[in-house]
Amino acid sequence: ECPSSTLVEFPSATVRYPKNKFFFLASVFIQILAALPIEKKARRQMAHYIIKKNISLLISDSRPLILSACKQSVYISHQLHPQPTYAGFFISAWQQFASRKSLSVWVPDFENQDKCLAGHLSHPVWNDRCRYIGMLSRFSGNNWIKASKNRILILLSGPEPSRTILEQKLLSILSVANIPFFLVRGTQKAAPLQEKIPHLELANTDELKNLFANSGAVISRSGYSSIMDAQVLGIPWLMIPTPGQTEQEYLYDWNGHQSEFHFLHENEINAELLKQWWESIKALETHKTSTEKDDLNQAIEDIIRQAGLQDFPENL
């Protein structure tokens, strides 16, 4: 995506979600404890790199333990008050403590809860420290969208084995329903597919734009980035939460009754239902795209001045 930018890899823990959702919280809690030494190592390496490169400002996306590696920092996250409440209280307090010295906390959502996409997730009790910057999507300014309606685009990503389980189920159902599709697997580690299945392992922004422009609908997990992309693009979209992943299930509940997009649990999907949904989409005449603009550029300009880097924009 950014071939001219310097890319440095730091240690990062990989969370795997259990098949049984009843073990989700316990499993994730144990994995978080196991990840703490990894985050400590990453913070130490980050601090060394910041000193070496004379970096003055750090923006950390959902990694609060990294913030203390730099004297001036910004924390960005939509999950400031995770659900369920009994677990979310402690995680919210932990994030507030970790970001207490940050210059700002950026939230990719709307402050008005009547139009926000993340609901209570993005509205902690300490939201007086938050700056709401609106929806963020790499597909904003989508005048290029002229979606044909000859196939469904399946975008799959996320933790295993959930990703592969949904992939196999969707491929089987779409084959039975005789619905044309194109698959982006979102991984290079999955088992090989049959040659006749049209797919890419991974896709960059330009490739995705082309796929969106030639697809009548999209099926994906109900991750927050996908919800923001769907809102911006306006293409008919079916969201399927990862079983047991509390964030996606909460987003399902929050958006499912007030969104123009469809949300279904994995066990609700069948060939007849998808076929009816696909036929209704082909009958649509237009797609409704969003005209909302994000506040990211202004937030960046303001934080540059606040951090004392007024000369930085001229060097961009």
Side-chain angles (χ1 to χ4, degrees), residues 72 76 118 198 201 215 243 257 315:
Q72 298 188 112
I76 179 170
E201 300 297 325
S215 301
H257 305 296
N315 297 327

Side-chain angles (χ1 to χ4, degrees), residues 130-186:
C130 300
R131 175 166 183 166
Y132 292 85
I133 57 178
M135 294 182 298
L136 299 184
S137 173
R138 50 187 162 157
F139 305 111
S140 298
N142 47 71
N143 296 329
W144 47 269
I145 284 287
K146 295 181 180 179
S148 60
K149 298 177 182 178
N150 61 350
R151 68 183 179 191
I152 291 175
L153 174 61
I154 304 174
L155 297 176
L156 293 183
S157 60
E160 297 289 5
S162 299
R163 193 212 65 81
T164 295
I165 291 172
L166 180 58
E167 176 182 277
Q168 293 172 347
K169 183 170 186 177
L170 287 174
L171 293 183
S172 175
I173 288 175
L174 292 172
S175 176
V176 170
N178 197 27
I179 298 174
F181 66 89
F182 190 92
L183 169 67
V184 177
R185 308 184 81 190

Side-chain angles (χ1 to χ4, degrees), residues 270-303:
N270 58 62
E272 185 61 30
L273 191 152
L274 280 187
K275 194 168 185 177
Q276 291 176 2
W277 177 65
W278 178 235
E279 292 299 325
S280 68
I281 288 169
K282 290 193 292 183
L284 295 175
E285 295 183 0
T286 60
H287 294 154
K288 182 180 178 182
T289 57
S290 173
T291 57
E292 295 280 0
K293 293 184 178 179
D294 65 63
D295 189 37
L296 180 61
N297 288 340
Q298 187 61 54
I300 292 174
E301 291 180 12
D302 292 344
I303 207 68

Side-chain angles (χ1 to χ4, degrees), residues 217-274:
V218 181
I219 298 176
S220 76
R221 288 296 191 189
S222 58
Y224 190 60
S225 294
S226 295
I227 290 176
M228 290 192 290
D229 288 341
Q231 192 76 17
V232 166
L233 292 169
I235 300 175
W237 207 297
L238 174 61
M239 302 279 183
I240 306 168
T242 302
Q245 189 169 342
T246 54
E247 179 213 356
Q248 291 192 11
E249 291 182 339
Y250 175 81
L251 292 172
Y252 169 102
D253 292 332
W254 179 263
N255 291 284
H257 305 296
Q258 60 183 5
S259 173
E260 296 181 0
F261 306 106
H262 292 267
F263 289 78
L264 284 175
H265 285 298
E266 197 167 308
N267 59 7
E268 298 174 321
I269 302 171
N270 58 62
E272 185 61 30
L273 191 152
L274 280 187

